[in-house]
Amino acid sequence: MNILLVGNPNCGKTTLFNILTGGKQYVGNWPGVTVEKKEGNLQIKNQSFKIYDLPGIYSLEPNTLEQKITKNFLGETKNSIIVNVIDATNLERSLYLTFQLLKEKIPMIIALNMSDELVKKGMVIDLDRLSNVLGVPVISISAFKNSGISDLKSLIIKNKATISSYSVKCANCKGCIYSEKIYDEIDSLINLCVKKTKNSKIDYSEKIDKVLLNKYLSIPFFLLIMYSVFWVTFGDFTSSISDYIGLFLENQFKTYLTFLLNFLNAPSYIHSLFIDGIIPGVLMIFVFLPQITVLFILMSFLEYSGYMTRVAFIMDKLFSYFGLGGSSFIPMLMGFGCSVPAIMSCRILPSEKDRKLTIMLMPFISCNARLPVYALFAGVLFERQKGAVVFSIYLLGIFVALIVALILSKTMFKKDSNGFIMEIPPYRLPTLKNIIIQAWEKVRGFLIKAGTLLLIASVIVWIVKTYTITFAIADSPENSIIAMFGKIISPIFIPLGFGDWRSATALLIGIPAKEMIVSSLSMLSDTTGNQDLFYQYVKNSFSLKSAYSFMAFSLLYMPCLSTIITMFKELNSKRLAVFSLALSFFTAYAVSFIIYNFL
Amino acid sequence: MKNKLRLGCKATVKGFKNENDNTKRLLEMGITPGITLYVLHTAPFGGGYIVKVRDYLVAIRASELLNIEFEK
């Protein structure tokens, strides 16, 4: 049997899905986190169920892509029951969808989620009465607090889901406002089933909003919050952990490894593979893991808190000058983490034009994998101002994205005006457990990437920098295969301030995975993964201007391979995707040129 | 009717001046005739409004708010 989780956006379906399946799907606090249905297995006693987490919808009318998809999916999936997840604190609005679901004639259970918040609001819902009127079982759960879940499971296993005989008295006839009719029924149902026991305490969400959404202060507050995020990410705390990792690599790890290799009598090329390849290429990146992790934790805190939708609201007007809507800001902020889910999340945007345009801006939004570049260059060359310098790089990305959006919306994507209607969720605090799980997922993903993609790439780079074109061992990297190649392409970058073959090659190797820019620079600099030597090399090879130009170029020039693949898929047009890649390369070139020559 | 909605004011919805896709969406989200809207926040540059309706918050653009007809 199939279990379909259906409900409004941001009502906690994915949290419930994770509890039921033991999964670790991403949870956020804004409408539209889940853009694609997710599948999982639910095991109750010895029975197995297939469970689907569907994108959140407000109604079954085919107004938006998700609503169309969900409606079709309900019709197609045989032998299934619906678990209608309802945000109990938002009962009135949620019941609208419920009434439409009842008409689908599919067995259903209603799960009133966030029952814990309901208590705080001083409200009591008469579950039995609600269940009697609607003709389906109603239970109260809290996915966040993990309560009521066993009741839900036992309802499922006892096959208690029922098809309701309830129908809205007005048929969907012409000339009558159907939505109005449903809400009339909801209002009388609410009067019947909901009691306010006490006056709710002062709403802390409203208090926070009084400050953060102040008409004049909302943008300064937003900038201040983002600045603090970067200040903490690149502050002394993370740098000292980085240095500690660097020292450990140099003093402990390398010593023991050399000892072990000598003990095993390993041939010299194996020594070289480790000392000139894997250590500087793969392990060097671990120096930047503290920054990657901290930035991720802070961003997911912001995402979970519910502040993101408010920023979309604040930015709506500003973005409209550039041919975008405020809702485009949410994928952009997600893009600070990773461009792939950010591109997927563009599906929540209200129109095709908005969606395609925002996808094409994603290469300009700085993702986590580019972070080692900034951490390295800002840390080595800008020392005291590193937080501000990195913040400026992120702002540069958004600024370039907006300029490109303006140009594209005036040429390729002619404007079709559409609305901005977005639910603003209350502020919520994530639990420590939630943050740790998400952060660990991120670190795990990084470790896997380091152990696979980065490792393979590093070995390849090591080969091409150790051997000459005739496969003799090169006496210096200057004569290696990669140097020959690098010297052919490097002149293009002379006007940008980094014409050295090592930097040019590093950028090229960085295309499959952005971490490889720093990795390959570290390998090509022949500093054997020694942090001090490598930093010294960077200090000697780059000026402040050329370093900033290099950072800007790394930010803009080309998305990574998985992003490119996702772009092709989501844009659904080879022409558009290729155009987008060419666009990002030329934009990067132009921006870096301006930075190096005119600033 | 002059539509002067200020921060902190409340008004009862009467209907919509023009029917379009957005009004359909607003109806679905519970902004129906007879319901009371509270205008809580406004965005910088005169962008949009956050209104409270049916005990939750929704952000809408000024143009959408102006399209709503209010009683009295």
Side-chain angles (χ1 to χ4, degrees):
Chain A
M1 196 169 67
N2 302 306
I3 300 167
L4 316 178
L5 299 182
V6 188
N8 284 174
N10 209 29
C11 71
K13 289 179 300 297
T14 305
T15 310
L16 179 62
F17 178 82
N18 282 346
I19 287 180
L20 292 176
T21 61
K24 294 189 178 88
Q25 293 294 345
Y26 183 72
V27 183
N29 184 15
W30 73 84
V33 184
T34 305
V35 285
E36 212 174 8
K37 66 168 193 290
K38 289 174 184 126
E39 255 183 82
N41 284 309
L42 169 61
Q43 194 79 29
I44 309 176
K45 284 167 193 158
N46 43 23
Q47 247 176 292
S48 169
F49 301 88
K50 205 155 208 112
I51 181 161
Y52 293 91
D53 179 21
L54 299 174
I57 52 172
Y58 291 108
S59 109
L60 283 178
E61 298 292 323
N63 299 338
T64 67
L65 194 61
E66 303 107 71
Q67 291 180 185
K68 233 178 276 179
I69 292 171
T70 306
K71 168 104 182 163
N72 290 341
F73 192 73
L74 291 183
E76 286 160 11
T77 319
K78 299 280 171 265
N79 187 25
S80 52
I81 66 165
I82 294 175
V83 173
N84 177 207
V85 184
I86 287 182
D87 171 359
T89 62
N90 220 332
L91 190 62
E92 281 182 57
R93 215 255 340 273
S94 313
L95 282 173
Y96 185 83
L97 176 66
T98 305
F99 275 52
Q100 292 185 321
L101 289 173
L102 291 175
K103 286 210 315 187
E104 294 292 307
K105 300 294 169 205
I106 298 172
M108 185 157 112
I109 297 170
I110 293 177
L112 291 179
N113 194 16
M114 311 198 194
S115 49
D116 50 319
E117 286 192 27
L118 197 67
V119 177
K120 275 188 223 150
K121 263 193 149 180
M123 283 161 77
V124 174
I125 299 175
D126 188 338
L127 299 180
D128 293 335
R129 198 172 256 181
L130 193 61
S131 169
N132 280 338
V133 176
L134 295 177
V136 297
V138 178
I139 77 162
S140 151
I141 64 165
S142 168
F144 184 69
K145 293 259 161 80
N146 201 351
S147 71
I149 305 299
S150 52
D151 299 342
L152 176 62
K153 282 183 183 169
S154 77
L155 280 179
I156 292 172
I157 194 130
K158 286 179 189 148
N159 217 350
K160 285 280 167 56
T162 45
I163 296 177
S164 166
S165 53
Y166 188 89
S167 70
V168 177
K169 272 136 213 142
C170 163
N172 196 358
C173 56
K174 276 182 188 152
C176 111
I177 307 170
Y178 185 53
S179 313
E180 222 184 305
K181 209 75 200 164
I182 293 187
Y183 272 109
D184 283 349
E185 302 241 345
I186 290 172
D187 287 340
S188 49
L189 189 62
I190 295 276
N191 280 335
L192 206 64
C193 305
V194 180
K195 290 208 167 52
K196 243 184 148 70
T197 52
K198 54 176 181 190
N199 276 329
S200 58
K201 276 180 262 166
I202 306 149
D203 193 338
Y204 65 94
S205 241
E206 263 175 43
K207 282 202 141 174
I208 299 172
D209 275 342
K210 275 227 164 80
V211 181
L212 289 184
L213 290 184
N214 178 292
K215 187 177 179 183
Y216 304 101
L217 295 178
S218 53
I219 289 184
F221 270 124
F222 169 64
L223 290 174
L224 190 70
I225 288 171
M226 292 313 289
Y227 180 76
S228 323
V229 165
F230 289 101
W231 185 77
V232 173
T233 304
F234 295 94
D236 292 338
F237 174 67
T238 50
S239 320
S240 57
I241 303 179
S242 288
D243 292 344
Y244 193 80
I245 297 175
L247 281 176
F248 173 80
L249 275 181
E250 184 59 28
N251 297 340
Q252 267 87 34
F253 188 80
K254 228 151 101 187
T255 317
Y256 292 126
L257 185 76
T258 317
F259 179 76
L260 185 72
L261 290 175
N262 285 335
F263 179 75
L264 294 173
N265 231 338
S268 66
Y269 66 87
I270 295 286
H271 272 271
S272 168
L273 175 64
F274 277 99
I275 303 295
D276 303 319
I278 292 171
I279 292 177
V282 182
L283 298 180
M284 189 66 201
I285 289 295
F286 281 78
V287 168
F288 305 107
L289 193 57
Q291 283 88 347
I292 293 176
T293 313
V294 169
L295 182 61
F296 178 79
I297 289 176
L298 294 175
M299 287 306 291
S300 62
F301 181 82
L302 278 187
E303 287 167 11
Y304 198 91
S305 70
Y307 185 59
M308 302 270 272
T309 52
R310 286 161 174 86
V311 178
F313 163 72
I314 295 167
M315 291 294 169
D316 184 49
K317 188 70 181 182
L318 187 67
F319 269 40
S320 73
Y321 295 130
F322 297 94
L324 289 168
S327 20
S328 294
F329 202 75
I330 290 181
M332 285 190 181
L333 277 179
M334 283 189 79
F336 285 165
C338 174
S339 312
V340 173
I343 288 173
M344 302 288 290
S345 78
C346 289
R347 293 185 188 183
I348 63 167
L349 298 180
S351 77
E352 262 315 89
K353 175 219 141 199
D354 276 312
R355 196 178 70 87
K356 289 198 165 144
L357 182 53
T358 312
I359 289 175
M360 291 178 68
L361 303 179
M362 276 309 157
F364 304 124
I365 305 300
S366 186
C367 72
N368 238 328
R370 289 145 161 127
L371 201 137
V373 179
Y374 317 143
L376 174 66
F377 283 87
V380 171
L381 288 150
F382 293 90
E383 289 165 21
R384 283 277 124 223
Q385 296 89 26
K386 60 189 173 204
V389 166
V390 180
F391 184 47
S392 76
I393 286 281
Y394 278 76
L395 287 183
L396 177 73
I398 292 184
F399 179 72
V400 170
L402 288 179
I403 299 295
V404 171
L406 181 67
I407 296 166
L408 290 183
S409 67
K410 287 267 186 290
T411 51
M412 287 175 73
F413 298 97
K414 286 275 159 45
K415 218 173 162 45
D416 58 334
S417 161
N418 43 54
F420 176 79
I421 301 171
M422 183 184 265
E423 186 186 348
I424 305 288
Y427 288 107
R428 293 199 172 101
L429 271 179
T431 55
L432 191 63
K433 189 182 152 204
N434 203 312
I435 286 194
I436 290 173
I437 289 178
Q438 297 286 352
W440 168 241
E441 278 300 293
K442 191 73 192 170
V443 172
R444 205 174 67 101
F446 177 82
L447 294 178
I448 291 171
K449 198 175 182 185
T452 52
L453 196 59
L454 298 187
L455 182 65
I456 295 168
S458 296
V459 171
I460 295 174
V461 174
W462 173 77
I463 295 173
V464 292
K465 79 158 202 140
T466 311
Y467 294 94
T468 64
I469 198 88
T470 53
F471 278 97
I473 291 180
D475 45 3
S476 107
E478 293 284 332
N479 305 319
S480 63
I481 304 173
I482 191 85
M484 269 183 63
F485 185 75
K487 282 171 186 166
I488 297 171
I489 59 166
S490 59
I492 325 172
F493 298 109
I494 292 173
L496 309 185
F498 40 91
D500 182 57
W501 67 270
R502 292 178 189 87
S503 355
T505 320
L507 287 169
L508 191 76
I509 299 169
I511 291 176
K514 290 304 178 84
E515 291 92 343
M516 283 307 293
I517 298 176
V518 169
S519 284
S520 32
L521 213 51
S522 153
M523 280 187 278
L524 298 176
S525 66
D526 250 352
T527 49
T528 66
N530 180 316
Q531 198 188 6
D532 290 337
L533 287 179
F534 181 44
Y535 283 14
Q536 201 53 48
Y537 159 79
V538 171
K539 209 168 197 161
N540 296 338
S541 323
F542 288 86
S543 66
L544 291 185
K545 247 186 198 178
S546 67
Y548 200 83
S549 163
F550 188 81
M551 285 194 273
F553 195 82
S554 308
L555 159 69
L556 304 168
Y557 78 115
M558 184 130 313
C560 73
L561 203 59
S562 20
T563 307
I564 295 175
I565 293 168
T566 314
M567 282 179 81
F568 268 86
K569 244 184 359 209
E570 292 291 302
L571 283 172
N572 203 11
S573 149
K574 282 199 185 88
R575 201 179 54 90
L576 216 51
V578 169
F579 171 76
S580 174
L581 295 180
L583 180 74
S584 50
F585 187 84
F586 285 112
T587 309
Y589 200 90
V591 170
S592 288
F593 186 82
I594 292 168
I595 289 172
Y596 186 65
N597 293 289
F598 299 112
L599 291 182
Chain B
M1 187 193 84
K2 282 265 155 58
N3 221 327
K4 281 252 158 114
L5 278 171
R6 288 174 180 283
L7 284 190
C9 83
K10 62 173 185 175
T12 306
V13 177
K14 198 171 157 196
F16 294 98
K17 288 169 191 162
N18 304 302
E19 299 271 330
N20 56 40
D21 283 352
N22 290 334
T23 56
K24 216 169 152 186
R25 188 114 181 121
L26 290 175
L27 279 169
E28 285 177 355
M29 294 188 72
I31 301 180
T32 52
I35 203 79
T36 307
L37 283 188
Y38 299 82
V39 184
L40 293 189
H41 305 285
T42 174
F45 318 117
Y49 293 89
I50 289 183
V51 299
K52 189 172 183 176
V53 61
R54 293 184 190 271
D55 218 19
Y56 78 98
L57 303 181
V58 59
I60 57 179
R61 281 199 182 134
S63 57
E64 280 137 20
L65 193 65
L66 289 174
N67 189 30
I68 300 174
E69 219 173 332
F70 292 97
E71 276 171 13
K72 232 184 7 159

